[in-house]
Amino acid sequence: MQKAVRLTGFGIYSLLCIGVAGYAFYFLQMPVNPHNDFQQKLLASGWEVPLHFYASGLALLLIPLQLSRLIRKRWLSFHRYLGVVYALAVLTGGVAGLVMAFNASGGWVARLGFTSLAVLWLGTTTLAVKCAIERNITRHQVWIYRSMALTSGAITLRLFLGLGLGVFQLPFLTVYVPTSWLSWMLNLAICEFILWQQRRSVVA
């Protein structure tokens, strides 16, 4: 029963990763809505927007493969290769996201939220790579889980925006500003709880 629940959760999470990554790849090709100021602002921006969308989408797309126990056990070299691609995607998407954060809608609160996300995203991924190079697999897993939790902020962001704008019909900035923080803080909190449970089960 527990295994079935875990596999179901992993399947749903994988579909969300694929769906949001696909949206990121498609976003810049979407028809321009003249009444959507946010879309027009993004499309009028410079190199950082396509770089962030494509690189971050790639990082998100790789998460289910990186989490696959089957790949790690049978094709370790492939897992390591994907890890290098993931790290490069985060580096590219994180730097571009940091540039975007300085001009984010919603004033300094939203800008600080997205800047914090970009810095933590780059930092956790760097530490995960460092631990992998040092063959400290236990610490590598801890830091890569945190990195993936932050990568998944793209999923949480869109869920919150869809709920706030689509379901509750709230004004854009009313939803967007708190989401600039909640989209990644919630993921990180859940990740830390899971890591705490894992440490407790090992001790027990």
Side-chain angles (χ1 to χ4, degrees), residues 10 29 32 36 40-41 57 92 97-98 116 148-149 151 187 193:
F10 179 73
Q29 280 72 49
V32 179
N36 189 329
Q40 291 191 39
K41 179 181 178 179
T92 306
L98 189 59
S116 301
M148 290 177 176
T151 305
N187 290 3
F193 177 72

Side-chain angles (χ1 to χ4, degrees), residues 136-152:
N136 190 340
I137 303 305
T138 301
R139 295 303 299 167
H140 165 70
Q141 289 179 339
V142 168
W143 285 110
I144 202 65
Y145 287 156
R146 289 168 178 157
S147 170
M148 290 177 176
L150 294 170
T151 305
S152 301

Side-chain angles (χ1 to χ4, degrees), residues 122-171:
L122 291 167
T124 55
T125 307
T126 299
L127 288 170
V129 171
K130 178 177 179 292
C131 291
I133 293 172
E134 295 172 349
R135 296 291 191 268
N136 190 340
I137 303 305
T138 301
R139 295 303 299 167
H140 165 70
Q141 289 179 339
V142 168
W143 285 110
I144 202 65
Y145 287 156
R146 289 168 178 157
S147 170
M148 290 177 176
L150 294 170
T151 305
S152 301
I155 297 174
T156 320
L157 174 71
R158 280 151 188 83
L159 290 176
F160 281 160
L161 289 178
L163 189 65
L165 300 177
V167 177
F168 294 106
Q169 299 290 304
L170 296 172

Side-chain angles (χ1 to χ4, degrees), residues 20-21 26 34 36-37 59 62 72-73 80 82 84 89 100 106 154 178 189 194 201:
V20 174
Y26 175 67
N36 189 329
D37 295 335
L62 291 175
R72 288 203 305 270
K73 287 182 178 180
R80 289 171 177 166
L82 291 181
V84 172
M100 289 175 61
I194 293 172
S201 64

Side-chain angles (χ1 to χ4, degrees), residues 1-198:
M1 179 65 180
Q2 188 176 5
K3 184 178 180 180
V5 172
R6 188 174 68 250
L7 288 175
T8 301
F10 179 73
I12 293 172
Y13 177 56
S14 298
L15 289 175
L16 287 171
C17 287
I18 295 169
V20 174
Y23 174 81
F25 297 149
Y26 175 67
F27 182 83
L28 298 177
Q29 280 72 49
M30 290 174 61
V32 179
N33 183 351
H35 304 293
N36 189 329
D37 295 335
F38 180 70
Q39 184 190 32
Q40 291 191 39
K41 179 181 178 179
L42 285 179
L43 294 177
S45 299
W47 58 268
E48 69 274 9
V49 173
L51 209 58
H52 175 70
F53 272 66
Y54 291 134
S56 302
L58 176 59
L60 193 62
L61 194 62
L62 291 175
I63 287 181
L65 295 174
Q66 287 299 86
L67 289 177
S68 171
R69 293 181 179 179
L70 179 64
I71 291 177
R72 288 203 305 270
K73 287 182 178 180
R74 295 190 180 182
W75 302 289
L76 183 58
S77 59
F78 183 56
H79 171 77
R80 289 171 177 166
Y81 170 76
L82 291 181
V84 172
V85 177
Y86 172 83
L88 291 174
V90 171
L91 174 63
T92 306
V95 170
L98 189 59
V99 176
M100 289 175 61
F102 296 146
N103 299 305
S105 302
W108 70 267
V109 177
R111 289 169 189 165
L112 184 58
F114 286 124
T115 298
S116 301
L117 168 59
V119 171
L120 288 171
W121 194 28
L122 291 167
T124 55
T125 307
T126 299
L127 288 170
V129 171
K130 178 177 179 292
C131 291
I133 293 172
E134 295 172 349
R135 296 291 191 268
N136 190 340
I137 303 305
T138 301
R139 295 303 299 167
H140 165 70
Q141 289 179 339
V142 168
W143 285 110
I144 202 65
Y145 287 156
R146 289 168 178 157
S147 170
M148 290 177 176
L150 294 170
T151 305
S152 301
I155 297 174
T156 320
L157 174 71
R158 280 151 188 83
L159 290 176
F160 281 160
L161 289 178
L163 189 65
L165 300 177
V167 177
F168 294 106
Q169 299 290 304
L170 296 172
F172 176 75
L173 290 181
T174 302
V175 181
Y176 190 71
V177 174
T179 297
S180 67
W181 289 89
L182 292 175
S183 60
W184 60 270
M185 291 182 71
L186 177 62
N187 290 3
L188 208 53
I190 293 172
C191 178
E192 292 301 324
F193 177 72
I194 293 172
L195 291 173
W196 173 77
Q197 280 194 320
Q198 289 178 348

